[in-house]
Amino acid sequence: MNAAPGRRAEATAEATPGRPVPDPPVPGSLADARYVLPLKWTDDAELAGLARYLAEVATWLPVTVVDGSAEELFAAHRRALPESVEHVRPEPWPGANGKVAGVMTGVRRAGEERIVVADDDVRHTRATLARIVGLLEQAEVVRPQNYYLHLPWQARWDTGRALINRALGGDWPGTLGVRRSILLTAGGYDGDVLFENLELVRTVRAAGGREKVALDVLVGRVPPTVSHFLGQRVRQAYDDFAQPHRLLAELSLLPLMCWAARHPVGLAVGALAVCGVAEIGRRRAGGARVFPADTVLWAPVWVLERSVCVWAAVAVRARGGVSYAGARLRTAGHSRAVLRRRLRHRSRESLLLLAPGPRQGRGQR
């Protein structure tokens, strides 16, 4: 159970990096908010832990689990989840990315305005939920920061990526806060993209919404298994096709490293520079509370990995895109310019539908 509110500040001050850290409470409540979890599992190894977590979350705010698992697993989930959790099938939504269908099902079913969307491995506290819900008074979409609750080697490796992202502006977590009204006004977001979180955020911004990158809202996450982590390397690199400037920078890494291999001093200086950037990210917005100092040393390892995997992602794109649920997703995400044009076109179509038709001649019906 969470510590009593009056003792959270003390717990934070004495926290051990890498372990759950209760955030300072923020004035406000969880009223008019709902927790939406899109789910599609092929095995139930983590079911007991997820059920315990959602039972606690359901005491703070309403919870909807949108479950696209096979029938046998769906039935097992219904038995394991508490009665207070709404457990439903995803409704039809265009596109091959089932997570988007799950999110949009939960959003459309909700009666609440403020929605917290989270992956199945995310572990919020009441304080982190309250902070995100509170920030949705200031912005239409909120992007917090994930950290791993435990740190096996694969989690340390991925933390190197997160630290660099924090230093360069913001990481992409497995949970977001969004205002229901603006997402519905935009007509939802595209279900034929791989980088669905970025697509959601860009859609909200294209519709005129404000984004809040909340690096100080630190939300725990369960580490991936080794097999899942390894299976995501090229797929995560493919996401950079939605960020062309970053893609070009990462494509330049491997040639630079090959050149630097003949100059060991230059290679060492480059590694130290990467560690310096990661340390800036670790210290930003109180990150040192949850990111141990030694995770900085994993940042060069991640850069080396990405320098290779980004070229593998180029090869995957040449073959038609990333395999996903029996289909191929070629598009990582759309630019804000494309999304703005789509929304303007949709608005014009709506105006045409609402406009009066041509007058009929006298005596005609």
Side-chain angles (χ1 to χ4, degrees), residues 94-271:
N97 194 322
K99 181 180 175 182
V100 177
V103 171
M104 289 309 305
T105 297
V107 168
R108 288 187 296 177
R109 291 179 63 91
E112 297 81 8
E113 167 65 3
R114 295 173 290 183
I115 308 295
V116 177
V117 179
D119 291 345
D120 53 64
D121 59 352
V122 169
R123 296 294 182 264
H124 276 281
T125 64
R126 193 187 192 287
T128 59
L129 290 170
R131 297 192 71 200
I132 291 172
V133 169
L135 288 170
L136 285 172
E137 293 295 325
Q138 308 168 22
E140 282 66 45
V141 63
V142 176
R143 180 152 54 109
Q145 173 70 59
N146 277 144
Y147 70 95
Y148 287 114
L149 295 169
H150 310 288
L151 288 167
W153 69 264
Q154 68 272 23
R156 292 177 182 272
W157 187 315
D158 197 50
T159 297
R161 171 198 58 80
L163 297 181
I164 291 174
N165 284 344
R166 281 174 64 84
L168 299 179
D171 195 22
W172 286 95
T175 181
L176 295 170
V178 65
R179 294 189 72 94
R180 177 178 184 268
S181 56
I182 196 165
L183 194 54
L184 294 182
T185 299
Y189 65 117
D190 199 314
D192 264 326
V193 299
L194 187 67
F195 200 166
E196 78 288 334
N197 278 357
L198 177 141
E199 187 78 3
L200 187 156
V201 170
R202 286 184 175 173
T203 299
V204 169
R205 293 186 63 183
R210 298 158 297 174
E211 177 191 7
K212 173 67 175 177
V213 180
L215 293 178
D216 61 324
V217 181
L218 302 164
V219 183
R221 193 169 196 172
V222 177
T225 63
V226 172
S227 60
H228 182 76
F229 171 78
L230 295 176
Q232 292 291 307
R233 297 305 87 213
V234 174
R235 183 169 164 178
Q236 285 188 5
Y238 196 96
D239 286 343
D240 285 335
F241 280 100
Q243 304 171 94
H245 292 96
R246 178 167 179 147
L247 176 68
L248 291 174
E250 291 181 355
L251 286 172
S252 71
L253 289 173
L254 190 59
L256 284 173
M257 288 182 181
C258 291
W259 174 84
R262 295 175 296 175
H263 306 82
V265 174
L267 200 61
V269 170

Side-chain angles (χ1 to χ4, degrees), residues 37 41 44-57 80-82 120-123 222:
L37 191 157
W41 279 0
D44 280 348
E46 305 298 326
L47 180 56
L50 180 64
R52 286 193 301 270
Y53 166 67
L54 291 179
E56 185 173 24
V57 174
L81 294 174
D120 53 64
D121 59 352
V122 169
R123 296 294 182 264
V222 177

Side-chain angles (χ1 to χ4, degrees), residues 28 30 51 89 91 99 121 128 186 234 272 302 306 326 337 341 343:
L30 292 172
R89 283 293 194 185
E91 298 167 356
K99 181 180 175 182
D121 59 352
T128 59
V234 174
L272 286 173
W302 177 81
R306 180 54 60 91
R341 286 197 298 270
L343 290 174

